[in-house]
């Protein structure tokens, strides 16, 4: 069996798959960020919307566009560069990462420093810092 899409040395069903079924299983901001990357890899639109903060959550139309784009690229890997706070007892945190993928133009990279917060007791993505 291969490792989870997020790069951790666990299989998907024991890693991000658990979080995709119960978002409260993301104990840290990094856990949530990794689960979001995996959701992009498998184009899990409902989870991508659910894991967004209520004030920045994509609309249904935007979700369709996100899923279409996620399916149109070939995801390569995720590199987590650094985290700040975002531990189980924190209420806010940031994660800096690079996500690599191929599209028609060749290899591309998303380099983002993301803000996460807890909403209704679980981690959610807010926006780029």
């Amino acid at each position: 069996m291969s490792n989870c899409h997020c790069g951790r040395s666990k299989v998907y069903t024991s890693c991000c798959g658990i979080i995709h079924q119960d978002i409260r299983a993301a104990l840290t901001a990094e856990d949530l960020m990794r689960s979001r990357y995996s959701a992009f890899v498998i184009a899990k639109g409902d989870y991508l919307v659910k894991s967004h903060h209520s004030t920045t959550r994509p609309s249904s139309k935007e979700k369709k566009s996100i899923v279409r784009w996620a399916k149109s690229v070939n995801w390569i890997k995720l590199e987590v560069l650094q985290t700040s706070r975002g531990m189980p007892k924190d209420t806010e945190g940031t994660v800096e990462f690079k996500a690599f993928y191929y599209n028609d133009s060749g290899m591309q990279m998303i380099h983002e420093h993301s803000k996460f917060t807890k909403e209704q007791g679980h981690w959610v993505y807010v926006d780029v810092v």
Side-chain angles (χ1 to χ4, degrees), residues 37-46 48 62-75 101-104:
Y37 174 83
S38 286
F40 274 102
V41 172
I42 60 175
K44 197 167 183 64
D46 290 339
L48 289 168
E62 290 169 315
K63 178 181 92 169
K64 289 177 184 174
S65 178
I66 291 166
V67 168
R68 190 170 29 259
W69 177 77
K71 287 180 176 179
S72 76
V73 302
N74 182 17
W75 295 94
Y101 63 92
Y102 282 110
N103 66 11
D104 292 339

Side-chain angles (χ1 to χ4, degrees), residues 3 15 34 39 63 67 78 90 92 100 103 109 121 126-127:
N3 289 346
C15 191
R34 286 179 179 276
K63 178 181 92 169
V67 168
L78 173 69
D90 293 324
E92 292 185 339
F100 297 86
N103 66 11
M109 177 193 62
V126 179
D127 210 342

Side-chain angles (χ1 to χ4, degrees), residues 3-115:
N3 289 346
C4 187
H5 309 292
C6 79
R8 288 189 166 148
S9 57
K10 297 180 181 179
V11 295
Y12 169 79
T13 54
S14 299
C15 191
C16 291
I18 292 170
I19 299 170
H20 289 165
Q21 291 194 356
D22 181 1
I23 197 166
R24 295 168 299 184
L27 301 180
T28 67
E30 182 179 339
D31 290 345
L32 187 83
M33 190 280 308
R34 286 179 179 276
S35 73
R36 285 179 51 79
Y37 174 83
S38 286
F40 274 102
V41 172
I42 60 175
K44 197 167 183 64
D46 290 339
Y47 180 79
L48 289 168
V49 169
K50 181 181 185 172
S51 61
H52 249 271
H53 191 273
S54 59
T55 61
T56 59
R57 189 167 289 146
S59 68
S60 295
K61 185 177 180 181
E62 290 169 315
K63 178 181 92 169
K64 289 177 184 174
S65 178
I66 291 166
V67 168
R68 190 170 29 259
W69 177 77
K71 287 180 176 179
S72 76
V73 302
N74 182 17
W75 295 94
I76 303 166
K77 69 176 179 174
L78 173 69
E79 290 180 4
V80 175
L81 304 176
Q82 68 175 355
T83 62
S84 173
R85 299 182 18 227
M87 299 310 291
K89 292 187 179 185
D90 293 324
T91 57
E92 292 185 339
T94 63
V95 180
E96 182 182 7
F97 67 90
K98 290 181 179 179
F100 297 86
Y101 63 92
Y102 282 110
N103 66 11
D104 292 339
S105 302
M107 191 168 91
Q108 307 293 321
M109 177 193 62
I110 300 168
H111 182 182
E112 188 173 302
H113 197 165
S114 301
K115 180 178 179 181

